[in-house]
Amino acid sequence: MKKRGEKIVSLTAYDASFAHILDKTGVEMVLVGDSLGMVVQGQSSTVPVTVEEMAYHSKIVSRGLERALLVTDLPFMSYPDPHTAVDNAAILMQQGYANMVKLEGGQKILDSVQHIVDQGIPVCGHLGLLPQSVNQLGGYRVQGKDDTQANIMIEDAKCLEQAGASAIVVECIPSSLAKRITASVSIPIIGIGAGVECDGQVLVSYDMLDITAGKRPNFSKDFMLEAGNVSAAVNAYVEAVKNKTFPAEEHSF
């Protein structure tokens, strides 16, 4: 799809019913995000989520899918070293029926990425705003705004590809940087709050349906506003990503 210039559509799901709707409306990549800690469990961050919880939600999401790629997050502190990373990735594959695992970070996690890939497990990277590191980052802020940070992130993307990653999510970064990262690697770059020039887009489904408690992120959009039902809202999102009308300028940095 990247080679054809066709946009990749992704959304999060946490149960079989949502997964079925996403699957039938043409979403290509369904992400079981550790965002479930916030939107499902009511936690203040993703940090408390466990591997066992991720495996459970991944398993029930898998029951709603027939065609979409199932990507599941490795949660906080589940990949502190390569061996632990492989053990926990195996749990998500065997118990959670994931097709791919996602982990946050750049060059610091390359050994874990490579070790996971060497065991035959596909990996998706995650750069920019790293929700699992929100305490270290000082909050949910746009990343990569200066040249030094931007250049490090571009190098991180190249290194993740060399380590064997099959895709990378970039979150809350300037659109201009996302465009540079997308052009610098041959693997798909999936954006969230990263502008329209990425190879694809992902949103937290609860955000784009406007059912998340509290303030919706600035980079999201309420697709339920004019849709009337969940399926129509997801269809509108798919079409908007495909025809490049989402994200618009007001959803970008």
Side-chain angles (χ1 to χ4, degrees), residues 65-110:
L65 301 180
E66 293 183 1
R67 43 165 295 282
L69 182 75
L70 176 56
V71 183
T72 303
D73 275 344
L74 278 164
F76 178 71
M77 286 303 293
S78 63
Y79 45 99
D81 59 77
H83 295 290
T84 305
V86 167
D87 289 345
N88 286 322
I91 291 173
L92 297 185
M93 298 291 285
Q94 292 177 317
Q95 298 180 26
Y97 305 115
N99 303 127
M100 179 183 287
V101 299
K102 182 170 76 65
L103 56 166
E104 299 179 3
Q107 296 177 57
K108 293 180 180 179
I109 64 163
L110 292 182

mmCIF file of all heavy atoms in Angstrom, residues 65-110:
data_model
loop_
_atom_site.group_PDB
_atom_site.id
_atom_site.type_symbol
_atom_site.label_atom_id
_atom_site.label_comp_id
_atom_site.label_asym_id
_atom_site.label_seq_id
_atom_site.Cartn_x
_atom_site.Cartn_y
_atom_site.Cartn_z
ATOM 1 N N LEU A 65 -12.489 -10.221 14.069
ATOM 2 C CA LEU A 65 -11.761 -9.898 12.840
ATOM 3 C C LEU A 65 -11.716 -11.074 11.877
ATOM 4 O O LEU A 65 -11.578 -12.224 12.291
ATOM 5 C CB LEU A 65 -10.322 -9.482 13.167
ATOM 6 C CG LEU A 65 -10.130 -8.279 14.087
ATOM 7 C CD1 LEU A 65 -8.649 -8.017 14.301
ATOM 8 C CD2 LEU A 65 -10.825 -7.042 13.534
ATOM 9 N N GLU A 66 -11.826 -10.760 10.592
ATOM 10 C CA GLU A 66 -11.645 -11.757 9.539
ATOM 11 C C GLU A 66 -10.513 -11.385 8.591
ATOM 12 O O GLU A 66 -9.858 -12.254 8.035
ATOM 13 C CB GLU A 66 -12.942 -11.933 8.742
ATOM 14 C CG GLU A 66 -14.079 -12.543 9.537
ATOM 15 C CD GLU A 66 -15.315 -12.751 8.691
ATOM 16 O OE1 GLU A 66 -15.279 -12.441 7.478
ATOM 17 O OE2 GLU A 66 -16.344 -13.218 9.236
ATOM 18 N N ARG A 67 -10.289 -10.085 8.379
ATOM 19 C CA ARG A 67 -9.330 -9.664 7.368
ATOM 20 C C ARG A 67 -8.285 -8.675 7.878
ATOM 21 O O ARG A 67 -7.164 -8.642 7.381
ATOM 22 C CB ARG A 67 -10.066 -9.027 6.179
ATOM 23 C CG ARG A 67 -11.178 -8.071 6.572
ATOM 24 C CD ARG A 67 -11.635 -7.201 5.422
ATOM 25 N NE ARG A 67 -10.577 -6.311 4.997
ATOM 26 C CZ ARG A 67 -10.240 -5.196 5.638
ATOM 27 N NH1 ARG A 67 -10.877 -4.834 6.734
ATOM 28 N NH2 ARG A 67 -9.265 -4.442 5.191
ATOM 29 N N ALA A 68 -8.614 -7.857 8.868
ATOM 30 C CA ALA A 68 -7.702 -6.795 9.317
ATOM 31 C C ALA A 68 -6.507 -7.364 10.074
ATOM 32 O O ALA A 68 -6.595 -8.416 10.710
ATOM 33 C CB ALA A 68 -8.449 -5.797 10.202
ATOM 34 N N LEU A 69 -5.380 -6.655 9.989
ATOM 35 C CA LEU A 69 -4.176 -7.006 10.730
ATOM 36 C C LEU A 69 -4.352 -6.609 12.188
ATOM 37 O O LEU A 69 -4.737 -5.475 12.483
ATOM 38 C CB LEU A 69 -2.966 -6.271 10.134
ATOM 39 C CG LEU A 69 -1.599 -6.556 10.759
ATOM 40 C CD1 LEU A 69 -1.105 -7.930 10.326
ATOM 41 C CD2 LEU A 69 -0.594 -5.476 10.369
ATOM 42 N N LEU A 70 -4.083 -7.531 13.088
ATOM 43 C CA LEU A 70 -4.247 -7.283 14.525
ATOM 44 C C LEU A 70 -2.892 -6.965 15.152
ATOM 45 O O LEU A 70 -1.997 -7.807 15.203
ATOM 46 C CB LEU A 70 -4.873 -8.504 15.206
ATOM 47 C CG LEU A 70 -5.020 -8.451 16.727
ATOM 48 C CD1 LEU A 70 -5.816 -7.232 17.168
ATOM 49 C CD2 LEU A 70 -5.670 -9.732 17.242
ATOM 50 N N VAL A 71 -2.759 -5.735 15.620
ATOM 51 C CA VAL A 71 -1.523 -5.265 16.261
ATOM 52 C C VAL A 71 -1.820 -5.000 17.733
ATOM 53 O O VAL A 71 -2.799 -4.329 18.065
ATOM 54 C CB VAL A 71 -1.011 -3.975 15.595
ATOM 55 C CG1 VAL A 71 0.318 -3.542 16.214
ATOM 56 C CG2 VAL A 71 -0.862 -4.167 14.091
ATOM 57 N N THR A 72 -0.973 -5.527 18.618
ATOM 58 C CA THR A 72 -1.205 -5.393 20.054
ATOM 59 C C THR A 72 -0.001 -4.760 20.733
ATOM 60 O O THR A 72 1.141 -5.130 20.470
ATOM 61 C CB THR A 72 -1.483 -6.770 20.690
ATOM 62 O OG1 THR A 72 -2.599 -7.375 20.029
ATOM 63 C CG2 THR A 72 -1.800 -6.634 22.174
ATOM 64 N N ASP A 73 -0.274 -3.794 21.615
ATOM 65 C CA ASP A 73 0.790 -3.107 22.336
ATOM 66 C C ASP A 73 1.438 -3.992 23.395
ATOM 67 O O ASP A 73 0.741 -4.673 24.159
ATOM 68 C CB ASP A 73 0.228 -1.876 23.056
ATOM 69 C CG ASP A 73 0.151 -0.647 22.183
ATOM 70 O OD1 ASP A 73 0.788 -0.623 21.115
ATOM 71 O OD2 ASP A 73 -0.555 0.310 22.572
ATOM 72 N N LEU A 74 2.756 -3.948 23.446
ATOM 73 C CA LEU A 74 3.483 -4.419 24.614
ATOM 74 C C LEU A 74 3.413 -3.292 25.644
ATOM 75 O O LEU A 74 3.846 -2.169 25.362
ATOM 76 C CB LEU A 74 4.945 -4.727 24.266
ATOM 77 C CG LEU A 74 5.219 -6.088 23.636
ATOM 78 C CD1 LEU A 74 6.592 -6.113 22.988
ATOM 79 C CD2 LEU A 74 5.112 -7.196 24.678
ATOM 80 N N PRO A 75 2.843 -3.528 26.832
ATOM 81 C CA PRO A 75 2.623 -2.434 27.775
ATOM 82 C C PRO A 75 3.891 -2.024 28.535
ATOM 83 O O PRO A 75 4.970 -2.612 28.357
ATOM 84 C CB PRO A 75 1.564 -3.007 28.712
ATOM 85 C CG PRO A 75 1.831 -4.469 28.716
ATOM 86 C CD PRO A 75 2.287 -4.794 27.317
ATOM 87 N N PHE A 76 3.720 -1.045 29.390
ATOM 88 C CA PHE A 76 4.807 -0.467 30.188
ATOM 89 C C PHE A 76 5.621 -1.536 30.909
ATOM 90 O O PHE A 76 5.073 -2.429 31.545
ATOM 91 C CB PHE A 76 4.199 0.513 31.195
ATOM 92 C CG PHE A 76 5.187 1.164 32.121
ATOM 93 C CD1 PHE A 76 6.070 2.123 31.653
ATOM 94 C CD2 PHE A 76 5.221 0.826 33.467
ATOM 95 C CE1 PHE A 76 6.973 2.743 32.513
ATOM 96 C CE2 PHE A 76 6.116 1.440 34.332
ATOM 97 C CZ PHE A 76 7.001 2.396 33.854
ATOM 98 N N MET A 77 6.942 -1.443 30.784
ATOM 99 C CA MET A 77 7.913 -2.312 31.453
ATOM 100 C C MET A 77 7.777 -3.787 31.085
ATOM 101 O O MET A 77 8.187 -4.659 31.851
ATOM 102 C CB MET A 77 7.829 -2.146 32.980
ATOM 103 C CG MET A 77 8.433 -0.844 33.483
ATOM 104 S SD MET A 77 10.166 -0.631 32.996
ATOM 105 C CE MET A 77 10.940 -1.938 33.933
ATOM 106 N N SER A 78 7.221 -4.058 29.909
ATOM 107 C CA SER A 78 7.138 -5.459 29.465
ATOM 108 C C SER A 78 8.266 -5.806 28.492
ATOM 109 O O SER A 78 8.339 -6.937 28.015
ATOM 110 C CB SER A 78 5.782 -5.729 28.800
ATOM 111 O OG SER A 78 5.621 -4.956 27.626
ATOM 112 N N TYR A 79 9.166 -4.827 28.218
ATOM 113 C CA TYR A 79 10.302 -5.100 27.341
ATOM 114 C C TYR A 79 11.565 -4.376 27.825
ATOM 115 O O TYR A 79 12.246 -3.691 27.052
ATOM 116 C CB TYR A 79 9.992 -4.736 25.889
ATOM 117 C CG TYR A 79 9.298 -3.387 25.677
ATOM 118 C CD1 TYR A 79 10.020 -2.261 25.310
ATOM 119 C CD2 TYR A 79 7.923 -3.259 25.837
ATOM 120 C CE1 TYR A 79 9.394 -1.043 25.117
ATOM 121 C CE2 TYR A 79 7.291 -2.042 25.636
ATOM 122 C CZ TYR A 79 8.027 -0.940 25.279
ATOM 123 O OH TYR A 79 7.391 0.273 25.076
ATOM 124 N N PRO A 80 11.924 -4.548 29.120
ATOM 125 C CA PRO A 80 13.113 -3.878 29.653
ATOM 126 C C PRO A 80 14.424 -4.461 29.138
ATOM 127 O O PRO A 80 15.467 -3.818 29.214
ATOM 128 C CB PRO A 80 12.985 -4.088 31.162
ATOM 129 C CG PRO A 80 12.237 -5.369 31.294
ATOM 130 C CD PRO A 80 11.254 -5.357 30.157
ATOM 131 N N ASP A 81 14.363 -5.677 28.613
ATOM 132 C CA ASP A 81 15.524 -6.335 28.022
ATOM 133 C C ASP A 81 15.027 -7.278 26.927
ATOM 134 O O ASP A 81 13.841 -7.627 26.892
ATOM 135 C CB ASP A 81 16.316 -7.107 29.087
ATOM 136 C CG ASP A 81 15.477 -8.175 29.772
ATOM 137 O OD1 ASP A 81 15.269 -9.243 29.148
ATOM 138 O OD2 ASP A 81 15.011 -7.939 30.907
ATOM 139 N N PRO A 82 15.904 -7.688 26.017
ATOM 140 C CA PRO A 82 15.466 -8.497 24.877
ATOM 141 C C PRO A 82 14.768 -9.798 25.245
ATOM 142 O O PRO A 82 13.782 -10.180 24.605
ATOM 143 C CB PRO A 82 16.774 -8.757 24.120
ATOM 144 C CG PRO A 82 17.641 -7.584 24.443
ATOM 145 C CD PRO A 82 17.318 -7.260 25.872
ATOM 146 N N HIS A 83 15.247 -10.486 26.273
ATOM 147 C CA HIS A 83 14.656 -11.778 26.628
ATOM 148 C C HIS A 83 13.249 -11.616 27.203
ATOM 149 O O HIS A 83 12.325 -12.365 26.846
ATOM 150 C CB HIS A 83 15.562 -12.524 27.623
ATOM 151 C CG HIS A 83 16.888 -12.907 27.049
ATOM 152 N ND1 HIS A 83 17.024 -13.878 26.085
ATOM 153 C CD2 HIS A 83 18.134 -12.425 27.288
ATOM 154 C CE1 HIS A 83 18.305 -13.996 25.747
ATOM 155 N NE2 HIS A 83 18.994 -13.127 26.466
ATOM 156 N N THR A 84 13.074 -10.635 28.074
ATOM 157 C CA THR A 84 11.744 -10.363 28.616
ATOM 158 C C THR A 84 10.799 -9.918 27.510
ATOM 159 O O THR A 84 9.626 -10.293 27.487
ATOM 160 C CB THR A 84 11.815 -9.280 29.713
ATOM 161 O OG1 THR A 84 12.753 -9.690 30.710
ATOM 162 C CG2 THR A 84 10.454 -9.059 30.349
ATOM 163 N N ALA A 85 11.333 -9.114 26.588
ATOM 164 C CA ALA A 85 10.525 -8.633 25.468
ATOM 165 C C ALA A 85 9.997 -9.786 24.630
ATOM 166 O O ALA A 85 8.811 -9.810 24.258
ATOM 167 C CB ALA A 85 11.354 -7.683 24.600
ATOM 168 N N VAL A 86 10.855 -10.755 24.331
ATOM 169 C CA VAL A 86 10.432 -11.908 23.541
ATOM 170 C C VAL A 86 9.397 -12.733 24.295
ATOM 171 O O VAL A 86 8.387 -13.173 23.720
ATOM 172 C CB VAL A 86 11.647 -12.780 23.159
ATOM 173 C CG1 VAL A 86 11.195 -14.138 22.630
ATOM 174 C CG2 VAL A 86 12.491 -12.083 22.110
ATOM 175 N N ASP A 87 9.626 -12.952 25.577
ATOM 176 C CA ASP A 87 8.678 -13.738 26.378
ATOM 177 C C ASP A 87 7.288 -13.099 26.361
ATOM 178 O O ASP A 87 6.275 -13.780 26.178
ATOM 179 C CB ASP A 87 9.176 -13.862 27.814
ATOM 180 C CG ASP A 87 10.377 -14.778 27.952
ATOM 181 O OD1 ASP A 87 10.650 -15.543 26.993
ATOM 182 O OD2 ASP A 87 11.051 -14.722 28.996
ATOM 183 N N ASN A 88 7.233 -11.782 26.532
ATOM 184 C CA ASN A 88 5.936 -11.101 26.576
ATOM 185 C C ASN A 88 5.316 -10.967 25.194
ATOM 186 O O ASN A 88 4.089 -11.042 25.057
ATOM 187 C CB ASN A 88 6.090 -9.745 27.253
ATOM 188 C CG ASN A 88 6.277 -9.860 28.752
ATOM 189 O OD1 ASN A 88 5.655 -10.703 29.395
ATOM 190 N ND2 ASN A 88 7.137 -9.035 29.323
ATOM 191 N N ALA A 89 6.150 -10.796 24.171
ATOM 192 C CA ALA A 89 5.626 -10.775 22.801
ATOM 193 C C ALA A 89 5.006 -12.132 22.462
ATOM 194 O O ALA A 89 3.955 -12.201 21.804
ATOM 195 C CB ALA A 89 6.742 -10.438 21.811
ATOM 196 N N ALA A 90 5.628 -13.198 22.935
ATOM 197 C CA ALA A 90 5.094 -14.540 22.689
ATOM 198 C C ALA A 90 3.735 -14.723 23.358
ATOM 199 O O ALA A 90 2.830 -15.358 22.792
ATOM 200 C CB ALA A 90 6.081 -15.592 23.196
ATOM 201 N N ILE A 91 3.559 -14.144 24.540
ATOM 202 C CA ILE A 91 2.255 -14.217 25.221
ATOM 203 C C ILE A 91 1.181 -13.542 24.376
ATOM 204 O O ILE A 91 0.075 -14.068 24.200
ATOM 205 C CB ILE A 91 2.341 -13.571 26.613
ATOM 206 C CG1 ILE A 91 3.204 -14.425 27.554
ATOM 207 C CG2 ILE A 91 0.944 -13.381 27.216
ATOM 208 C CD1 ILE A 91 3.489 -13.772 28.892
ATOM 209 N N LEU A 92 1.483 -12.373 23.827
ATOM 210 C CA LEU A 92 0.506 -11.647 23.017
ATOM 211 C C LEU A 92 0.193 -12.396 21.726
ATOM 212 O O LEU A 92 -0.936 -12.328 21.222
ATOM 213 C CB LEU A 92 1.018 -10.239 22.696
ATOM 214 C CG LEU A 92 1.231 -9.314 23.898
ATOM 215 C CD1 LEU A 92 1.620 -7.923 23.428
ATOM 216 C CD2 LEU A 92 -0.009 -9.249 24.775
ATOM 217 N N MET A 93 1.167 -13.117 21.189
ATOM 218 C CA MET A 93 0.941 -13.887 19.963
ATOM 219 C C MET A 93 0.172 -15.175 20.260
ATOM 220 O O MET A 93 -0.778 -15.525 19.545
ATOM 221 C CB MET A 93 2.272 -14.230 19.304
ATOM 222 C CG MET A 93 3.101 -13.029 18.869
ATOM 223 S SD MET A 93 2.404 -12.102 17.494
ATOM 224 C CE MET A 93 2.786 -13.201 16.129
ATOM 225 N N GLN A 94 0.553 -15.885 21.327
ATOM 226 C CA GLN A 94 -0.034 -17.183 21.616
ATOM 227 C C GLN A 94 -1.380 -17.089 22.333
ATOM 228 O O GLN A 94 -2.318 -17.812 22.006
ATOM 229 C CB GLN A 94 0.943 -18.017 22.463
ATOM 230 C CG GLN A 94 2.190 -18.438 21.706
ATOM 231 C CD GLN A 94 3.165 -19.203 22.593
ATOM 232 O OE1 GLN A 94 3.412 -18.837 23.739
ATOM 233 N NE2 GLN A 94 3.733 -20.268 22.055
ATOM 234 N N GLN A 95 -1.468 -16.185 23.303
ATOM 235 C CA GLN A 95 -2.698 -16.050 24.076
ATOM 236 C C GLN A 95 -3.618 -14.957 23.537
ATOM 237 O O GLN A 95 -4.831 -15.035 23.675
ATOM 238 C CB GLN A 95 -2.371 -15.764 25.546
ATOM 239 C CG GLN A 95 -1.583 -16.879 26.231
ATOM 240 C CD GLN A 95 -1.271 -16.561 27.680
ATOM 241 O OE1 GLN A 95 -1.986 -15.805 28.343
ATOM 242 N NE2 GLN A 95 -0.191 -17.133 28.196
ATOM 243 N N GLY A 96 -3.018 -13.936 22.915
ATOM 244 C CA GLY A 96 -3.791 -12.825 22.403
ATOM 245 C C GLY A 96 -4.052 -12.881 20.913
ATOM 246 O O GLY A 96 -4.775 -12.039 20.376
ATOM 247 N N TYR A 97 -3.462 -13.866 20.228
ATOM 248 C CA TYR A 97 -3.658 -14.071 18.792
ATOM 249 C C TYR A 97 -3.283 -12.838 17.957
ATOM 250 O O TYR A 97 -3.860 -12.599 16.887
ATOM 251 C CB TYR A 97 -5.099 -14.490 18.483
ATOM 252 C CG TYR A 97 -5.552 -15.697 19.252
ATOM 253 C CD1 TYR A 97 -6.578 -15.615 20.188
ATOM 254 C CD2 TYR A 97 -4.945 -16.940 19.070
ATOM 255 C CE1 TYR A 97 -6.992 -16.724 20.914
ATOM 256 C CE2 TYR A 97 -5.345 -18.057 19.780
ATOM 257 C CZ TYR A 97 -6.368 -17.943 20.704
ATOM 258 O OH TYR A 97 -6.767 -19.039 21.420
ATOM 259 N N ALA A 98 -2.330 -12.051 18.454
ATOM 260 C CA ALA A 98 -1.877 -10.882 17.707
ATOM 261 C C ALA A 98 -1.113 -11.319 16.453
ATOM 262 O O ALA A 98 -0.492 -12.386 16.423
ATOM 263 C CB ALA A 98 -0.977 -10.015 18.584
ATOM 264 N N ASN A 99 -1.171 -10.473 15.418
ATOM 265 C CA ASN A 99 -0.366 -10.675 14.216
ATOM 266 C C ASN A 99 0.953 -9.911 14.299
ATOM 267 O O ASN A 99 1.898 -10.204 13.571
ATOM 268 C CB ASN A 99 -1.108 -10.206 12.966
ATOM 269 C CG ASN A 99 -2.442 -10.887 12.778
ATOM 270 O OD1 ASN A 99 -3.459 -10.218 12.623
ATOM 271 N ND2 ASN A 99 -2.461 -12.216 12.799
ATOM 272 N N MET A 100 1.000 -8.904 15.165
ATOM 273 C CA MET A 100 2.157 -8.022 15.284
ATOM 274 C C MET A 100 2.116 -7.377 16.658
ATOM 275 O O MET A 100 1.039 -7.152 17.206
ATOM 276 C CB MET A 100 2.101 -6.951 14.179
ATOM 277 C CG MET A 100 3.222 -5.933 14.173
ATOM 278 S SD MET A 100 2.984 -4.667 12.869
ATOM 279 C CE MET A 100 3.364 -5.635 11.402
ATOM 280 N N VAL A 101 3.282 -7.097 17.234
ATOM 281 C CA VAL A 101 3.335 -6.395 18.518
ATOM 282 C C VAL A 101 3.934 -5.006 18.306
ATOM 283 O O VAL A 101 4.745 -4.795 17.404
ATOM 284 C CB VAL A 101 4.144 -7.169 19.575
ATOM 285 C CG1 VAL A 101 3.501 -8.527 19.844
ATOM 286 C CG2 VAL A 101 5.603 -7.338 19.165
ATOM 287 N N LYS A 102 3.517 -4.063 19.142
ATOM 288 C CA LYS A 102 4.017 -2.687 19.039
ATOM 289 C C LYS A 102 4.700 -2.291 20.331
ATOM 290 O O LYS A 102 4.195 -2.579 21.424
ATOM 291 C CB LYS A 102 2.885 -1.709 18.730
ATOM 292 C CG LYS A 102 3.366 -0.259 18.558
ATOM 293 C CD LYS A 102 2.273 0.638 18.011
ATOM 294 C CE LYS A 102 1.235 1.006 19.027
ATOM 295 N NZ LYS A 102 1.806 1.852 20.131
ATOM 296 N N LEU A 103 5.854 -1.640 20.224
ATOM 297 C CA LEU A 103 6.565 -1.157 21.397
ATOM 298 C C LEU A 103 7.129 0.227 21.131
ATOM 299 O O LEU A 103 7.401 0.592 19.995
ATOM 300 C CB LEU A 103 7.662 -2.120 21.853
ATOM 301 C CG LEU A 103 8.770 -2.573 20.900
ATOM 302 C CD1 LEU A 103 9.886 -3.233 21.703
ATOM 303 C CD2 LEU A 103 8.273 -3.578 19.870
ATOM 304 N N GLU A 104 7.264 1.000 22.205
ATOM 305 C CA GLU A 104 7.629 2.404 22.108
ATOM 306 C C GLU A 104 9.127 2.612 22.267
ATOM 307 O O GLU A 104 9.769 1.975 23.102
ATOM 308 C CB GLU A 104 6.903 3.219 23.190
ATOM 309 C CG GLU A 104 5.390 3.184 23.086
ATOM 310 C CD GLU A 104 4.712 3.986 24.191
ATOM 311 O OE1 GLU A 104 5.420 4.609 25.009
ATOM 312 O OE2 GLU A 104 3.474 3.981 24.234
ATOM 313 N N GLY A 105 9.667 3.549 21.475
ATOM 314 C CA GLY A 105 11.058 3.936 21.642
ATOM 315 C C GLY A 105 11.871 3.809 20.369
ATOM 316 O O GLY A 105 11.428 3.212 19.383
ATOM 317 N N GLY A 106 13.079 4.364 20.423
ATOM 318 C CA GLY A 106 13.968 4.363 19.264
ATOM 319 C C GLY A 106 15.178 3.466 19.463
ATOM 320 O O GLY A 106 15.047 2.267 19.701
ATOM 321 N N GLN A 107 16.347 4.080 19.427
ATOM 322 C CA GLN A 107 17.582 3.294 19.428
ATOM 323 C C GLN A 107 17.808 2.520 20.723
ATOM 324 O O GLN A 107 18.493 1.499 20.721
ATOM 325 C CB GLN A 107 18.766 4.222 19.135
ATOM 326 C CG GLN A 107 18.675 4.841 17.735
ATOM 327 C CD GLN A 107 19.780 5.812 17.416
ATOM 328 O OE1 GLN A 107 20.950 5.459 17.489
ATOM 329 N NE2 GLN A 107 19.423 7.035 17.072
ATOM 330 N N LYS A 108 17.202 2.957 21.822
ATOM 331 C CA LYS A 108 17.376 2.256 23.099
ATOM 332 C C LYS A 108 16.732 0.871 23.106
ATOM 333 O O LYS A 108 17.114 0.024 23.917
ATOM 334 C CB LYS A 108 16.792 3.092 24.241
ATOM 335 C CG LYS A 108 17.549 4.385 24.508
ATOM 336 C CD LYS A 108 16.923 5.152 25.655
ATOM 337 C CE LYS A 108 17.662 6.447 25.931
ATOM 338 N NZ LYS A 108 17.045 7.229 27.039
ATOM 339 N N ILE A 109 15.776 0.643 22.223
ATOM 340 C CA ILE A 109 15.068 -0.646 22.241
ATOM 341 C C ILE A 109 15.414 -1.513 21.032
ATOM 342 O O ILE A 109 14.754 -2.531 20.797
ATOM 343 C CB ILE A 109 13.540 -0.450 22.318
ATOM 344 C CG1 ILE A 109 13.021 0.264 21.055
ATOM 345 C CG2 ILE A 109 13.141 0.290 23.578
ATOM 346 C CD1 ILE A 109 11.533 0.131 20.855
ATOM 347 N N LEU A 110 16.431 -1.137 20.292
ATOM 348 C CA LEU A 110 16.745 -1.865 19.056
ATOM 349 C C LEU A 110 17.072 -3.330 19.309
ATOM 350 O O LEU A 110 16.688 -4.199 18.517
ATOM 351 C CB LEU A 110 17.909 -1.186 18.320
ATOM 352 C CG LEU A 110 17.620 0.198 17.729
ATOM 353 C CD1 LEU A 110 18.854 0.712 16.989
ATOM 354 C CD2 LEU A 110 16.426 0.151 16.790
#
